[in-house]
Amino acid sequence: MADAVDKIKAFLKSQIYDEENWAVNSKVIRAVGLFAGSIVLMRNFGDLMAI
């Protein structure tokens, strides 16, 4: 069990602290945030945007 936790910690550290991995991950996080924000916006204010 502890071995699996160590593997997960090592994976997360490699994704956050490595410059190249973090550059890609930040783009993915930004894209997912924009997508989720647009869904929330359209669900709340979509009827006001209708023509």
Side-chain angles (χ1 to χ4, degrees), residues 2-15:
D3 191 36
V5 172
D6 290 336
K7 287 182 181 179
I8 292 172
K9 284 183 181 179
F11 174 73
L12 290 177
K13 286 182 181 178
S14 72
Q15 294 298 314

Side-chain angles (χ1 to χ4, degrees), residues 5-33:
V5 172
D6 290 336
K7 287 182 181 179
I8 292 172
K9 284 183 181 179
F11 174 73
L12 290 177
K13 286 182 181 178
S14 72
Q15 294 298 314
I16 293 173
Y17 294 118
D18 186 18
E19 293 289 330
E20 293 176 6
N21 285 341
W22 180 245
V24 173
N25 291 338
S26 65
K27 289 178 185 177
V28 170
I29 290 170
R30 189 178 305 134
V32 168

Side-chain angles (χ1 to χ4, degrees), residues 31-50:
V32 168
L34 182 64
F35 182 71
S38 65
I39 289 174
V40 169
L41 181 79
M42 289 302 290
R43 287 185 60 90
N44 289 331
F45 302 108
D47 56 339
L48 297 175
M49 295 181 197

